[in-house]
Amino acid sequence: MINRDFSSFLLYIFSFFLLWEWLRPIEQLTDTDHIEMFIIFIIISFALSFFNVKWVWKYSIKLIYILYSINRLHYEEGLFHSTWMKDFFRDITENLGLLGARNWNDLSSEFRSLLFFILLWLMVYLISYWILNRKRILIFCFMTIVYITVLDTFTPYVAKAAIVRTVVAGFAVMGMLTLLRMIQKENINTESTYLKRWMVPLSVMIAISVLVGIAAPKAAPIWPDPVPYLTANNNKVPERNKSGIHRIGYGTNDAQLGGPFIGDNNQVYRYEGNGKNYWKMETKDRYTGKGWLASGTTPIPFRQEDLVPVFSLPKTVETIKETARVVTNPSYNFNYLMYPAGINKVVKMLPAGNRYEIDTTTERISLFDSDNAPSVPKVFTVEFEVPKYKAADLVQTANFNPSIINEEFYQRYTQLPENLPPRVKKLAEEITASKTNWFDKAKAVESYFGKSEFTYDQKNVAVPDTKDDYVDQFLFETKKGYCDNFSSSMAVMLRTLGIPTRWVKGFTGGDFLQYSDETSGTQVYEVTNNNAHSWVEVYFPNQGWVPFEPTKGFSNPITINYGSGNTTSSNNQQNSTPQVKKPQQEEIDDNQKADNSNKSFDFKRIWADIQLFLKNHWKLLILDGLLLAGLVVIFYRIRGKWVPYFLLLVYRFKKKDNNIGTAYLALLKQLDRYGLKRKEHQTLRNYARYIDSFFSTREMTRLTTIYENYLYHQNLPEGTWKDSHELWENLIKKTIA
């Protein structure tokens, strides 16, 4: 152990500076604020370790400081107020579920702060252990240098001063620990004059090394600075690194659109119904040139079984009443409901006893518990109406009529930023030049994005610069993007023509899984994060909000009757499910196999469930397999430590005399694992004498004599194993490290 003197105090000081270097880049490269709270925590942790405070007080002080910090950073109530503690522990429970589901992106800020404190706690403990017990810290110094240099190379963080600080602190700690190891090993005189003779050269060496390193000429880099190099050569997307790569899925912040994203096939929810539907989460009405915002908020509470106070379909539109049952995935953590257009009611909600609220500006439906805290929907059923539009009704609107459409409503849904480039409106006018009504103009703009020059792309997607408009950049420069690019462009282009539009976010219909049962024929669909989507709704005074799908490769499954006797529907999505016969139809079409239909169906359903399980959990299965393989390897490598206990346990309950045969062979293997190898052609008696000389005993020779008697005569006097078991057990115990 290290004495608590001035030299050990210096060790802790330099160790603190090394750990501080890990925190310095965080404030610059991330959104983490109040970094001083974490630095103070490190100081407290090192001080408690230096003064060797009892573990009870040490843990109590750290926990109190962590709670104080989280309260100050994330809550408005006082530290001793019970409300924030209740919310915080509920937040911990919810985030532990997110951790189990590997949904890292949705962890709350409070929980992230807690995890960061725990990480710092562990790092301080490890550094203290290396200093006090191992008296070595080379690995941590090396890791710190690697961490700093990697950030300096591939991020905007400049680590010139950090390298100098790390080298000074690292060499100082390693030099002092080397001296302490020598003192402990060689029992060297520790007088102050001797310590000075060691510390002065160490300080001079560090100072000279640093000065020479700073003053010495340095060769120019062979490869250019990666940060501007990668930015400049990243398909000429000027600020992509600023936005970063996002993971696909529903989110609430759409103020800054653009940039690439990666797919995510984790399930969000399943639903059971009579067909595939688009599912809305919210709408937004104010375009800023960079993204979409809501112009305000108008929350209205309502109760279960009440008609949802949302803009309903006019009575002039023919509808079909439908219901759908939704089961959200445990990883879903929003208190928002997904619902089809034309929703009427929400029924059969779990958890029960909740209250509902809809923001009529965004049409987002939220769920709250009895304490007015957000509540995540688990299972619920929605009643809705599927519209069947008539083309003859859709084409009736040609111009804005203030006697039919409210002026304020019209201005709100035709709003555009003042600096929108004029060529956007010019292009919209060119596309719709031959059209005379709003519906035909909307269809013309929708069809325009099907041209070959537009490409659906999730990777090479630009982020508009400060002077660029998001829609203008997509229409005239990149022409590459995903649903946000296509839907925003259509909405803005129609607004330039004076047609009211709004931007809608939600999910497409998902993928067909199976039929819910053999009689009803209702289908079950799975919706994943990959199904997150945005589209456009256009307002027609006599028809309400009508959805349009401009994204290339997608098509909204609305029904429009063009009056020719045929009802046309939009094509299904790019990856739509083929038409599947209902179970009753299969029996009618295949009467010869009626006796085997149930068995075949059961097998197919089981196989489909297996495939679905593998699809949804393949990452977890691979991770579990790797963990299992790692545990097997670890247990095999340390078998010399646990096998003796296993052998003692197994043979303790064996009573037969012939057990001496297998027990003796097991002993030979254990001695070999212990390192006492039997040489080739060495007799058992010779080997037994070697073992006895090593352990200073005669037990191996006596046991070998009994084994040879059994080996050659295959018969032992009754009670032999009872007498020899003690000899065998003593030898096994001697091999336990």
Side-chain angles (χ1 to χ4, degrees):
M1 296 290 291
I2 295 178
N3 296 326
R4 267 66 185 180
D5 52 17
F6 182 70
S7 61
S8 60
F9 177 74
L10 288 178
L11 281 174
Y12 277 94
I13 291 295
F14 286 125
S15 300
F16 162 73
F17 284 126
L18 282 176
L19 185 54
W20 192 1
E21 294 300 334
W22 289 75
L23 271 66
R24 290 178 185 271
I26 292 176
E27 193 169 23
Q28 179 178 341
L29 301 178
T30 69
D31 295 330
T32 306
D33 293 325
H34 302 285
I35 203 72
E36 67 279 357
M37 301 292 291
F38 302 104
I39 296 175
I40 294 173
F41 178 75
I42 296 175
I43 295 174
I44 293 174
S45 300
F46 274 121
L48 294 172
S49 178
F50 175 77
F51 291 110
N52 199 21
V53 178
K54 289 185 178 181
W55 69 270
V56 175
W57 294 106
K58 186 185 298 184
Y59 280 55
S60 300
I61 292 173
K62 291 181 181 179
L63 288 174
I64 291 173
Y65 181 81
I66 290 174
L67 292 176
Y68 164 76
S69 301
I70 292 177
N71 171 264
R72 182 179 176 185
L73 294 175
H74 302 289
Y75 295 93
E76 296 181 357
E77 298 88 348
L79 177 62
F80 300 102
H81 201 285
S82 60
T83 305
W84 83 270
M85 293 288 291
K86 181 180 178 181
D87 294 339
F88 178 53
F89 286 113
R90 184 191 298 117
D91 183 76
I92 292 177
T93 303
E94 294 174 354
N95 280 272
L96 288 176
L98 294 175
L99 281 181
R102 303 180 304 282
N103 194 0
W104 323 116
N105 293 331
D106 293 329
L107 296 179
S108 67
S109 299
E110 298 92 321
F111 192 70
R112 292 173 189 265
S113 298
L114 176 63
L115 292 181
F116 194 42
F117 275 117
I118 294 174
L119 175 63
L120 295 177
W121 189 334
L122 292 174
M123 293 185 72
V124 171
Y125 169 78
L126 288 175
I127 294 174
S128 301
Y129 173 78
W130 287 330
I131 292 176
L132 295 175
N133 297 85
R134 306 293 296 178
K135 297 182 180 63
R136 298 180 186 276
I137 203 170
L138 175 62
I139 294 178
F140 183 71
C141 293
F142 176 75
M143 292 170 58
T144 305
I145 292 175
V146 171
Y147 168 74
I148 292 172
T149 52
V150 168
L151 291 181
D152 179 77
T153 304
F154 295 101
T155 71
Y157 180 66
V158 178
K160 292 181 179 179
I163 292 292
V164 176
R165 292 192 300 265
T166 303
V167 169
V168 172
F171 274 96
V173 173
M174 288 188 290
M176 296 176 68
L177 290 177
T178 302
L179 172 61
L180 293 173
R181 289 199 304 271
M182 292 172 59
I183 291 174
Q184 185 178 33
K185 184 176 180 181
E186 304 295 339
N187 196 22
I188 299 175
N189 183 12
T190 57
E191 295 180 357
S192 59
T193 55
Y194 180 83
L195 294 176
K196 289 180 180 179
R197 288 200 298 269
W198 175 270
M199 296 301 297
V200 171
L202 175 64
S203 303
V204 173
M205 183 202 72
I206 295 174
I208 293 176
S209 300
V210 171
L211 292 175
V212 170
I214 295 174
K218 302 169 184 64
I222 298 175
W223 191 47
D225 188 355
V227 176
Y229 178 82
L230 292 175
T231 302
N233 291 275
N234 201 7
N235 291 329
K236 297 182 179 179
V237 179
E239 292 191 27
R240 167 185 272 183
N241 288 333
K242 178 179 178 181
S243 176
I245 298 179
H246 308 285
R247 184 176 296 276
I248 191 173
Y250 171 75
T252 59
N253 187 355
D254 305 297
Q256 181 72 47
L257 297 179
F261 66 78
I262 57 177
D264 183 359
N265 64 349
N266 288 320
Q267 185 190 98
V268 181
Y269 62 95
R270 287 188 185 187
Y271 69 93
E272 177 184 333
N274 289 321
K276 186 181 291 191
N277 303 285
Y278 271 31
W279 293 77
K280 296 172 64 172
M281 295 293 291
E282 62 179 324
T283 68
K284 292 188 176 178
D285 57 359
R286 188 162 73 88
Y287 176 69
T288 64
K290 305 296 181 185
W292 290 89
L293 300 173
S295 59
T297 176
T298 51
I300 298 178
F302 67 97
R303 295 178 299 177
Q304 188 169 299
E305 304 289 346
D306 286 350
L307 288 175
V308 180
V310 70
F311 202 106
S312 59
L313 293 167
K315 295 181 180 180
T316 55
V317 179
E318 182 183 355
T319 60
I320 302 174
K321 292 186 177 181
E322 295 284 357
T323 62
R325 182 174 181 268
V326 180
V327 180
T328 61
N329 190 276
S331 63
Y332 181 75
N333 66 336
F334 291 103
N335 69 315
Y336 311 138
L337 273 65
M338 57 289 294
Y339 60 92
I343 183 173
N344 285 332
K345 295 181 181 180
V346 180
V347 297
K348 300 178 181 178
M349 169 65 72
L350 292 177
N354 292 282
R355 71 174 187 85
Y356 303 85
E357 185 178 278
I358 183 169
D359 186 338
T360 55
T361 302
T362 63
E363 294 194 351
R364 179 196 290 167
I365 301 177
S366 304
L367 190 66
F368 299 91
D369 62 18
S370 57
D371 295 329
N372 204 32
S375 178
V376 178
K378 303 298 183 184
V379 182
F380 62 93
T381 300
V382 290
E383 296 179 358
F384 61 99
E385 296 179 345
V386 178
K388 297 177 67 177
Y389 296 105
K390 295 180 181 179
D393 295 331
L394 291 169
V395 299
Q396 290 181 9
T397 305
N399 297 293
F400 165 61
N401 187 343
S403 63
I404 300 176
I405 304 178
N406 179 272
E407 176 71 25
E408 182 181 352
F409 176 91
Y410 181 78
Q411 294 297 331
R412 173 180 163 191
Y413 289 105
T414 55
Q415 167 273 334
L416 290 170
E418 294 181 357
N419 57 349
L420 181 73
R423 59 180 178 175
V424 175
K425 180 178 181 180
K426 183 179 179 180
L427 175 63
E429 291 173 342
E430 291 175 357
I431 295 171
T432 60
S434 61
K435 310 301 179 184
T436 58
N437 61 78
W438 284 3
F439 176 72
D440 287 339
K441 290 181 179 181
K443 292 299 292 183
V445 174
E446 181 186 51
S447 302
Y448 174 75
F449 294 102
K451 298 174 66 175
S452 59
E453 59 188 292
F454 288 97
T455 305
Y456 183 88
D457 196 333
Q458 301 174 355
K459 306 297 183 187
N460 301 313
V461 183
V463 178
D465 204 346
T466 53
K467 297 181 180 180
D468 294 330
D469 181 88
Y470 177 68
V471 167
D472 179 80
Q473 183 185 62
F474 172 70
L475 289 174
F476 299 100
E477 296 178 15
T478 64
K479 298 187 179 181
K480 286 184 178 181
Y482 39 85
C483 57
D484 291 348
N485 299 90
F486 287 89
S487 57
S488 298
S489 298
M490 178 176 177
V492 170
M493 290 173 73
L494 291 180
R495 286 188 175 193
T496 64
L497 302 175
I499 301 176
T501 62
R502 65 183 182 183
W503 191 65
V504 189
K505 291 178 58 182
F507 296 89
T508 61
D511 297 320
F512 173 83
L513 288 181
Q514 60 190 30
Y515 284 104
S516 57
D517 54 55
E518 298 183 18
T519 56
S520 67
T522 57
Q523 300 120 45
V524 178
Y525 294 88
E526 178 190 44
V527 178
T528 68
N529 282 316
N530 284 331
N531 295 116
H533 195 56
S534 62
W535 61 96
V536 180
E537 286 183 347
V538 180
Y539 182 74
F540 298 91
N542 61 334
Q543 302 290 293
W545 289 105
V546 178
F548 286 81
E549 180 54 273
T551 304
K552 196 168 187 176
F554 291 78
S555 184
N556 208 335
I558 64 171
T559 301
I560 300 177
N561 189 336
Y562 286 92
S564 60
N566 297 325
T567 301
T568 62
S569 300
S570 299
N571 297 329
N572 289 334
Q573 301 169 205
Q574 189 176 15
N575 298 322
S576 60
T577 306
Q579 190 68 27
V580 185
K581 294 181 180 180
K582 296 183 179 180
Q584 301 95 322
Q585 294 173 322
E586 293 177 353
E587 293 178 1
I588 294 173
D589 294 343
D590 199 6
N591 291 327
Q592 294 179 351
K593 297 182 180 180
D595 294 336
N596 299 325
S597 61
N598 290 334
K599 295 180 181 178
S600 175
F601 178 77
D602 290 341
F603 173 77
K604 292 179 180 179
R605 183 168 57 185
I606 293 172
W607 175 243
D609 290 341
I610 294 173
Q611 288 180 314
L612 178 62
F613 178 81
L614 294 175
K615 176 183 177 182
N616 292 337
H617 301 89
W618 66 270
K619 294 181 180 178
L620 181 60
L621 292 174
I622 293 176
L623 179 61
D624 291 342
L626 293 175
L627 291 175
L628 180 61
L631 289 175
V632 170
V633 171
I634 292 173
F635 272 90
Y636 179 78
R637 295 291 298 273
I638 63 172
R639 63 190 184 281
K641 295 184 178 181
W642 61 266
V643 167
Y645 295 101
F646 176 75
L647 294 175
L648 291 173
L649 179 64
V650 170
Y651 284 96
R652 177 167 296 177
F653 301 99
K654 294 188 176 183
K655 305 297 182 182
K656 295 182 179 180
D657 293 325
N658 59 2
N659 287 323
I660 184 65
T662 56
Y664 188 85
L665 295 176
L667 175 61
L668 293 179
K669 290 183 179 179
Q670 178 57 23
L671 290 170
D672 183 75
R673 284 190 290 267
Y674 186 71
L676 301 174
K677 297 183 180 295
R678 180 185 171 192
K679 297 180 181 179
E680 191 176 358
H681 305 304
Q682 186 178 18
T683 64
L684 287 177
R685 293 194 178 188
N686 193 317
Y687 180 64
R689 286 193 293 271
Y690 167 67
I691 297 299
D692 285 337
S693 64
F694 184 85
F695 289 119
S696 300
T697 182
R698 295 281 298 167
E699 293 172 331
M700 187 64 182
T701 300
R702 292 167 57 190
L703 187 65
T704 301
T705 302
I706 298 173
Y707 173 73
E708 287 181 337
N709 187 26
Y710 165 77
L711 189 64
Y712 295 124
H713 299 286
Q714 295 295 316
N715 189 19
L716 291 172
E718 187 175 352
T720 301
W721 171 245
K722 183 178 180 180
D723 297 334
S724 59
H725 177 264
E726 184 177 356
L727 299 173
W728 177 87
E729 193 173 71
N730 290 338
L731 289 166
I732 288 290
K733 289 180 178 178
K734 293 180 184 298
T735 64
I736 297 177

